[in-house]
Amino acid sequence: MALKIVKGSIDRMFDKNLQDLVRGIRNHKDDEAKYISTCIDEIKQELKQDNIAVKANAVCKLTYLQMLGYDVSWAAFNIVEVMSSSKFTYKRIGYLAASQCFHEGTDVIMLTTNQIRKDLSSPNQYDTGVALTGLSCFVTPDLARDLANDIMTLMSHTKPYIRKKAVLIMYKVFLKYPESLRPAFPRLKEKLEDPDPGVQSAAVNVICELARRNPKNYLSLAPLFFKLMTSSTNNWVLIKIIKLFGALTPLEPRLGKKLIEPLTNLIHSTSAMSLLYECVNTVIAVLISLSSGMPNHSASIQLCVQKLRILIEDSDQNLKYLGLLAMSKILKTHPKSVQSHKDLILQCLDDKDESIRLRALDLLYGMVSKKNLMEIVKKLMLHVDKAEGTTYRDELLTKIIDICSQSNFQYITNFEWYISILVELTRLEGTRHGHLIASQMLDVAIRVKAIRGFAVAQMATLLDNAHLLTGNTQRNGICEVLYAAAWICGEFSEHLEDPMQTLEAMLRPKVATLPGHIQAVYVQNAAKLFATVLRKHDGETESQAAQETSQLLIDRLPLFVQSANLEVQERASCILQLVKYIQKLQQKNVEVAEEVTALFAGELNPVAPKAQKKVPIPEGLDLDAWINEPPSESESEDEKPKAVFAKEEPKHSRSRHTEVDEKELARRREVRKQEQANNPFYIKASPSSQKVYDAPGVEHIPVVQIDLSVPLKVPGMPMSDQYLKLEVERRQKEKAERKKKEKKKKREKRGKERKADSGPESEEDITPAHQVDIVTEEMPENALPSDDDDKDPNDPHKALDIDLDKPLADSEKLPVRTHRPEALKSPAEDRDSESVPQETKKKSGKEKKKDKEKDRKRSKEEKKKKKKHKEVEEELLESQPEEAVQSEETKEAAAPPTSTSAEQEVCVLMCVCLQEVTAPSSAAAAVDTSSAAAPESEPDEPKDTEPEDTKSSKHKKKKQKKEKEEKEKKKKKRHHHHHQHHSDAGGEDSVQNGTVEEEEPLPVSQSHSVSLKQEVKVYDIQGNHQDESKVVVSVIFENKSDSFLKSMEFNVLDSLNSKLQRPEGAGAHDSLTVPFQLPPGVSNEARFVFSVQSIIMPQKLKGTLTFIVKSDESSTHEKLDFKLHFTCTSYLITTPCYSDAYAKLLESGDLKGSSLRLEGINMPFHHLLARICFHHHFSVVERIDSCASMYSRSIQGHHVCLLVKTSDQTVSIDAKCDEPSLLGNVLDEIKQTFSKC
Amino acid sequence: MIKAILIFNNHGKPRLIRFYQYFAEDMQQQIIRETFHLVSKRDDNVCNFLEGGSLIGGSDYKLIYRHYATLYFVFCVDSSESELGILDLIQVFVETLDKCFENVCELDLIFHMDKVHYILQEVVMGGMVLETNMNEIVAQVELQNRMEKSEVQVWASI
């Protein structure tokens, strides 16, 4: 061993550490990648070594390389190894690496559960802290579920350092495991009033984060936050709370009224700009929520705006930015107050800082009115021309469109102007927002009937000049506007002056370079135009024009028939055939215009975006139900390929088509085969066009590149500027006219003109230039009203929308560690049903009033009882655990004789669980507690670790129950709990070799009547061995009485071997103060450190808890005795061991042997092993059939090896250990475990 | 919530990266590049807020940064954080570094990335602000360093 260490340290001297690595990388600037790859090879070698120091060093280097962008996930397992080192130094390195590169998809994460749990309960606060920090970065739903309870316990840790971290991480746990929110919330709420400011701040942080997403659930906390706000001096906390109030006030206006005063005070008193700014922000939110037109409030708004103006005018760019940001909040509800600062905001548009410009843009959105829209947009258009960088330019473009289109084009008085703005925008180079412009064009043309003529003319021009837009197709999305242009020209072709020319423009060969979906629209709308042309020439016999049109189509369409795009091809071939047929009819002088027009008759109305969603589902419609009997699986498999075949080979459906289609098909097949666009075997259909465009593919087409960086003036297009001038003139004219006319008359007229004129009063004077009829969107009849359409279903916070004010139900508990979920299931279910009558029974015996309170208590208890699952698990491992419980009474007689000696003992054993830091196991000891009134403690309760024990103790109690009617109720309750655990366990599936404890109500004094119960429940004692001689026992105190318990003092009578660790300077017999008080029904946990010298013998310690019971009228001093029982098993730590190391250990000959025979063991072998593992902290090294080797280690490093064999009902255990008396005691304890089943 | 904390130098070389949401390594590098690109072209006399890049976050997120000598400290945060508060936090963080490293400079961050992480862990945890009191942060960091030292001594004495 020593040699190994020496060797390791020598190795280490030659290893590179992080600094060497960094230095090396800096020295290899030219061939960095190569150098790093050799380093990674070295790291791989280092990771293979056993020495943990070397491994940790390697992992540390990997963390650095991860920062440089190297994937280090291959070392995930090594990272886990380093995480589980017992040394803080290495552990920290491991957790850091894990937090940098683990994520939900990392599979080794599931190996870490126990390690993390162990670290969380480590007596060293920094181990716990490091584990919490790491976990906060890579917590998964599984980890959250399995560890939620442990973390919740840490929220009451004695160290504020741990408390604040535990509180913060709960938020992550909630996100991943929303079920934990309700059970954990009461404790989280308590932490808002934690004495430590850091913990308090963490709790505020978490609740603010939660409340931000679902504010309504947290309204009830408002008074508490209000108190905090007026008392706290921590700016961070204040900022968070004030921000939270900003989110809450819209839901509760009364809150707002109360807030104004303290907030104003803060504004005056604070020197911190951040706090001041948030105060102003929240005041704004309050004023917004309050001001329903009340004049004095609008005055306050003005005041706020004035203050913000000062911020905006400040030379500090940060304040300017924030001023604009806050301004935009006011804008939403009080646009008028902001509008007066238009000058300032337009000025900000010229700022050199892009962040500020963007904010100013945001503000402009709300500042427009009918009056200033044109002016503002003109200014923006200027910026568009000047803007550098496409991002900002695109931002401008979307803002222009947003501004113009807001609230149903409310502010647009002249749609011709708007159309020309849109057309101008199409000249933007390289914008990504072509589709936005296109959808605006479509929207306006469809919904504003009066504008169609103008729009069509503009679109025709656009189509005619399409080459300007498509000059460089590959780098812009602007050609999307052609989609809109083509559609508008086709759909409203009756407005076209020269449809023939437009038709020609749409069928130009160059169109074939456009994206497929645009070509498809082109083809379809060419047909519409064709119909229009025919109609125009209707009645003219032997119309030359009509015939020419047909010919044009027949000439040009084949180009599209050959398109690789299915949609284009299909439409083109359809229309081509149609036109050919029409041509034939034309040649016979048949009147066709009527019929062709009928093809495209009817009008499309705009449909509201959410219309489809809002159609109510008809009654009785079940879309999931089978219409016919579901086909058998084999059938469906047969059918599937058929369907695919039909799709791929459209031959059948097309057999009636003409030659052209056949060729096209042939061509496509060839294309597919060769995966090449140019195919020498290609057969032409229409020679004219195909030569140039088809075979070689798009990239061979000579494209004229036009530099559009200078805005071009497209011939024949009106500039939007002209409209501005016109508009001003028009308005002046109107004003003059209006003076002559009567006001009333005009108002009537306006009412007719516009459907929805909700503009501000001052603008009523402006009449739109066009008599515009905005068609509203259609909604289905009896549409369902709903506001929540906008919520993102994937938002993780949606799951956290949980009512927190409802009292906790029994079923709401955090999962507790258990073993083997499969084994648990069926019994658990049974128990579930069993527990129901139990509950009713209990309830019937009590007054309703108390009932409620009990429920609350019980739910709390249950939370804490999670840890009891060990016990549950153990019982469930038995083949018929259910019977075991049911037949309690009968079993009682057979219970070990020890129980009979107990007389009036009301109380109770607890199982103590001692967890070792370095291994994922826990050792168990037991605690006996006895009440002050019945001081006689049970003599020699044998190894209480096992659940059986607790059971037997229960039996004992059952007996007492007979004797003491007075206590019956309590016992029932306990009994009930017992069942509850089982049902609990059924729902959980995590595995833990953890803690067992039994809880019992402890009447403090017998004189107390049942109605005034003074119970202190001491259960869940959990401990940790930090080093060889230290043990940490955690005790949960629960106040089951109706009175307040305070000044609790915990004391244990030290033995020579074990001593309670007291703070320096304290006497050997001084009590330790429990650092909390217990209100009725509340429980809390405290931890105590013991030093232990020898671990080879089990031992018991007597202890006392003194406390003051405070009721309304009096307060009394009470005392509670208990016993802590450390078994030898409790000093063992589950330590994994590899079989070769195990073999070496046995060969070494240092170990002394002993053996044990157990008769009449009637359980499956794996259950037996599980029991040993679970209760005695062994791990299975190897198992062959009915023989298994097991290993464990004591906290002082004793090796314990077991060879377990079974045949029939006999189990023989051969054991070896380097400490014979320890081994003897452990074997005794094992025997005890099995003697009870 | 803080989504990411990036420290890089004037040339865009990362000195510390800390993402509180998972991104694959190549994506992380892309984000660093994009963020550097956004931040580095800004003058020192413009505001310290930047509406987030396209890669990280989206409209709810903001980049809040400070530029110290050769280093940029960039925090990517959502709207629940106070902008000026985060600026103060960066200042606290840098001052803490200064205390822990005694006149911190870029070289300290280069060679002691792990230590910088440990300090950061005492300030921000899982994307939420843990502690803003510099003395408390320094005290905790020092206690942990002392623990590490004592372990090393034990190891050396073997």
Side-chain angles (χ1 to χ4, degrees), chain A residues 19 67 69 88-89 92 99-100 124 126 161 164 172 209 212 236 243 318 321 353 355 359, chain B residues 17-18 29 42 47-49 51 62 78-80 111 122 126 131-132 140 143-144 147-148 151:
Chain A
Q19 282 76 36
M67 178 179 80
F88 171 74
T89 315
R92 181 152 85 153
S99 69
Q100 288 290 71
N124 179 346
Y126 292 112
Y161 178 75
K164 72 182 177 190
K172 295 274 175 165
E209 236 4 277
R212 194 167 74 95
W236 270 92
K243 267 185 164 272
N318 289 335
Y321 174 89
D353 189 342
S355 298
R359 287 265 70 91
Chain B
I17 57 172
R18 172 74 276 187
Q29 295 300 314
R42 295 172 63 83
C47 76
N48 298 90
F49 315 118
E51 250 119 294
K62 253 191 212 104
D78 70 9
S79 60
S80 73
F111 286 105
E122 297 304 321
E131 185 60 69
T132 52
Q140 296 295 353
L143 276 171
Q144 292 181 57
M147 215 173 118
E148 189 172 300
E151 282 183 355

Side-chain angles (χ1 to χ4, degrees), chain A residues 5 8-9 12 18-20 22-23 26 29 32 51 53 60 63-64 66-73 86-90 92-93 95-96 99-104 124-127 129-130 132-134 136-137 161 164-166 168-169 171-172 175 196 198 201-202 205-206 209 212-213 234 236 239-240 243 272-275 277-278 315-319 321-322 325 351-356 358-359 362, chain B residues 1-2 7 13-26 28-29 32 38 41-43 45-51 59-63 65-66 78-90 92 106-107 109-115 117-133 136-137 139-152 154-155 158:
Chain A
I5 290 169
S9 64
R12 207 181 162 196
L18 176 62
Q19 282 76 36
D20 299 328
V22 175
R23 210 165 286 132
R26 285 162 71 82
K29 285 213 167 98
E32 190 181 294
N51 189 325
C60 185
T63 313
Y64 183 82
Q66 195 271 346
M67 178 179 80
L68 299 184
Y70 289 84
D71 178 17
V72 299
S73 55
S86 58
K87 287 242 187 347
F88 171 74
T89 315
Y90 305 143
R92 181 152 85 153
I93 292 171
Y95 272 103
L96 174 61
S99 69
Q100 288 290 71
C101 68
F102 283 11
H103 55 96
E104 279 193 22
N124 179 346
Q125 61 164 329
Y126 292 112
D127 283 350
V130 151
L132 284 172
T133 308
S136 71
C137 294
Y161 178 75
K164 72 182 177 190
K165 287 196 168 198
L168 266 196
I169 203 180
Y171 178 65
K172 295 274 175 165
L175 281 183
D196 184 85
S201 151
N205 214 335
V206 170
E209 236 4 277
R212 194 167 74 95
R213 311 292 183 150
N234 180 339
W236 270 92
I239 287 175
K240 285 278 171 193
K243 267 185 164 272
M273 208 59 200
S274 48
L275 183 57
Y277 170 71
E278 295 303 338
S315 60
D316 184 341
Q317 294 280 326
N318 289 335
L319 296 182
Y321 174 89
L322 293 174
L325 192 66
D351 200 285
K352 58 184 180 302
D353 189 342
E354 190 173 299
S355 298
I356 287 176
L358 287 173
R359 287 265 70 91
D362 257 1
Chain B
M1 286 275 285
I2 299 169
I7 305 177
K13 284 242 183 243
R15 293 304 176 212
L16 175 134
I17 57 172
R18 172 74 276 187
F19 286 90
Y20 295 103
Q21 181 193 340
Y22 173 68
F23 289 102
E25 275 77 12
D26 48 352
Q28 293 186 353
Q29 295 300 314
I32 295 168
L38 286 173
K41 66 178 181 202
R42 295 172 63 83
D43 292 341
N45 55 357
V46 299
C47 76
N48 298 90
F49 315 118
L50 200 58
E51 250 119 294
S59 59
D60 195 35
Y61 285 86
K62 253 191 212 104
L63 298 175
Y65 73 97
R66 267 179 188 272
D78 70 9
S79 60
S80 73
E81 300 294 342
S82 147
E83 292 85 354
L84 293 173
I86 293 290
L87 275 183
D88 288 349
L89 184 73
I90 300 178
V92 167
E106 193 186 342
L107 282 176
L109 274 80
I110 294 173
F111 286 105
H112 302 283
M113 180 204 73
D114 48 345
K115 299 209 168 49
H117 266 295
Y118 300 143
I119 295 166
L120 181 62
Q121 281 176 358
E122 297 304 321
V123 183
V124 178
M125 181 178 137
M128 285 187 285
V129 179
L130 180 68
E131 185 60 69
T132 52
N133 179 343
E136 171 74 12
I137 299 167
Q140 296 295 353
V141 169
E142 273 173 4
L143 276 171
Q144 292 181 57
N145 289 344
R146 209 171 298 157
M147 215 173 118
E148 189 172 300
K149 252 180 219 154
S150 72
E151 282 183 355
V152 170
V154 168
W155 189 85
I158 289 174

Side-chain angles (χ1 to χ4, degrees), chain A residues 361-428:
Chain A
L361 267 183
D362 257 1
L363 274 173
L364 277 184
Y365 176 83
M367 291 184 27
V368 291
S369 62
K370 283 181 187 159
K371 236 186 224 164
N372 61 17
L373 176 73
M374 284 185 168
E375 188 193 337
I376 287 179
V377 171
K378 185 189 165 195
K379 187 135 195 198
L380 290 179
M381 291 298 283
L382 279 177
H383 277 277
V384 171
D385 287 342
K386 278 193 290 181
E388 299 162 18
T390 50
T391 333
Y392 180 57
R393 188 145 51 171
D394 279 358
E395 189 64 31
L396 276 170
L397 188 151
T398 43
K399 273 282 136 42
I400 291 175
I401 288 179
D402 281 354
I403 286 173
C404 294
S405 64
Q406 64 178 309
S407 23
N408 242 339
F409 306 106
Q410 189 192 336
Y411 301 117
I412 294 185
T413 49
N414 187 333
F415 278 90
E416 281 186 20
W417 164 81
Y418 185 44
I419 294 275
S420 35
I421 286 285
L422 289 174
V423 171
E424 272 175 48
L425 285 175
T426 63
R427 289 180 227 142
L428 269 190

Side-chain angles (χ1 to χ4, degrees), chain A residues 308-526:
Chain A
L308 290 177
R309 188 180 169 111
I310 294 169
L311 283 186
I312 296 171
E313 284 169 337
D314 197 290
S315 60
D316 184 341
Q317 294 280 326
N318 289 335
L319 296 182
K320 182 176 278 200
Y321 174 89
L322 293 174
L324 288 169
L325 192 66
M327 197 74 110
S328 65
K329 283 176 191 152
I330 305 184
L331 186 73
K332 277 170 201 144
T333 48
H334 297 74
K336 262 188 276 170
S337 354
V338 184
Q339 269 160 18
S340 50
H341 302 282
K342 199 183 72 189
D343 56 322
L344 185 64
I345 286 152
L346 284 174
Q347 198 183 311
C348 288
L349 271 186
D350 296 324
D351 200 285
K352 58 184 180 302
D353 189 342
E354 190 173 299
S355 298
I356 287 176
R357 287 201 304 259
L358 287 173
R359 287 265 70 91
L361 267 183
D362 257 1
L363 274 173
L364 277 184
Y365 176 83
M367 291 184 27
V368 291
S369 62
K370 283 181 187 159
K371 236 186 224 164
N372 61 17
L373 176 73
M374 284 185 168
E375 188 193 337
I376 287 179
V377 171
K378 185 189 165 195
K379 187 135 195 198
L380 290 179
M381 291 298 283
L382 279 177
H383 277 277
V384 171
D385 287 342
K386 278 193 290 181
E388 299 162 18
T390 50
T391 333
Y392 180 57
R393 188 145 51 171
D394 279 358
E395 189 64 31
L396 276 170
L397 188 151
T398 43
K399 273 282 136 42
I400 291 175
I401 288 179
D402 281 354
I403 286 173
C404 294
S405 64
Q406 64 178 309
S407 23
N408 242 339
F409 306 106
Q410 189 192 336
Y411 301 117
I412 294 185
T413 49
N414 187 333
F415 278 90
E416 281 186 20
W417 164 81
Y418 185 44
I419 294 275
S420 35
I421 286 285
L422 289 174
V423 171
E424 272 175 48
L425 285 175
T426 63
R427 289 180 227 142
L428 269 190
E429 184 196 13
T431 180
R432 286 178 293 116
H433 293 301
H435 60 279
L436 248 183
I437 304 175
S439 68
Q440 283 297 303
M441 287 173 169
L442 288 171
D443 209 17
V444 172
I446 293 168
R447 291 170 60 189
V448 186
K449 279 184 182 151
I451 202 70
R452 283 179 191 166
F454 180 78
V456 165
Q458 290 292 303
M459 295 303 120
T461 329
L462 257 188
L463 285 178
D464 214 26
N465 297 303
H467 58 278
L468 295 180
L469 301 176
T470 56
N472 31 17
T473 18
Q474 58 271 55
R475 65 184 182 110
N476 68 41
I478 201 67
C479 55
E480 289 290 328
V481 297
L482 293 177
Y483 175 99
W487 190 87
I488 292 169
C489 286
E491 186 66 22
F492 308 118
S493 49
E494 67 270 19
H495 298 291
L496 269 179
E497 269 177 31
D498 186 359
M500 188 61 193
Q501 191 200 340
T502 309
L503 184 60
E504 198 275 331
M506 280 167 75
L507 292 171
R508 281 180 201 152
K510 234 185 162 181
V511 171
T513 61
L514 291 172
H517 66 283
I518 299 178
Q519 285 187 55
V521 170
Y522 265 66
V523 170
Q524 186 72 15
N525 286 287

Side-chain angles (χ1 to χ4, degrees), chain A residues 468-645:
Chain A
L468 295 180
L469 301 176
T470 56
N472 31 17
T473 18
Q474 58 271 55
R475 65 184 182 110
N476 68 41
I478 201 67
C479 55
E480 289 290 328
V481 297
L482 293 177
Y483 175 99
W487 190 87
I488 292 169
C489 286
E491 186 66 22
F492 308 118
S493 49
E494 67 270 19
H495 298 291
L496 269 179
E497 269 177 31
D498 186 359
M500 188 61 193
Q501 191 200 340
T502 309
L503 184 60
E504 198 275 331
M506 280 167 75
L507 292 171
R508 281 180 201 152
K510 234 185 162 181
V511 171
T513 61
L514 291 172
H517 66 283
I518 299 178
Q519 285 187 55
V521 170
Y522 265 66
V523 170
Q524 186 72 15
N525 286 287
K528 289 183 197 166
L529 281 176
F530 176 60
T532 316
V533 174
L534 286 188
R535 196 179 171 81
K536 221 174 179 176
H537 300 286
D538 199 13
E540 306 168 23
T541 45
E542 295 203 11
S543 157
Q544 198 59 36
Q547 300 238 7
E548 269 171 20
T549 318
S550 310
Q551 194 52 46
L552 176 73
L553 279 169
I554 291 169
D555 287 346
R556 300 279 178 88
L557 277 175
L559 166 64
F560 297 100
V561 173
Q562 291 145 5
S563 167
N565 187 296
L566 201 61
E567 182 80 14
V568 180
Q569 185 209 65
E570 200 169 311
R571 286 180 190 225
S573 62
C574 247
I575 291 164
L576 182 62
Q577 290 316 303
L578 184 73
V579 176
K580 278 182 180 171
Y581 181 68
I582 291 169
Q583 198 184 29
K584 271 184 212 160
L585 291 177
Q586 279 175 332
Q587 279 156 3
K588 290 178 198 160
N589 268 336
V590 182
E591 286 289 327
V592 286
E594 197 79 18
E595 280 99 332
V596 176
T597 318
L599 280 176
F600 305 107
E603 189 165 0
L604 291 173
N605 284 331
V607 175
K610 291 167 191 163
Q612 178 78 43
K613 235 193 206 166
K614 300 208 171 179
V615 179
I617 298 172
E619 250 178 76
L621 175 69
D622 181 5
L623 290 173
D624 294 329
W626 287 97
I627 296 170
N628 298 310
E629 282 301 297
S632 70
E633 260 182 35
S634 60
E635 266 180 325
S636 67
E637 269 171 66
D638 287 346
E639 271 168 26
K640 218 180 171 186
K642 259 187 215 162
V644 171
F645 184 70

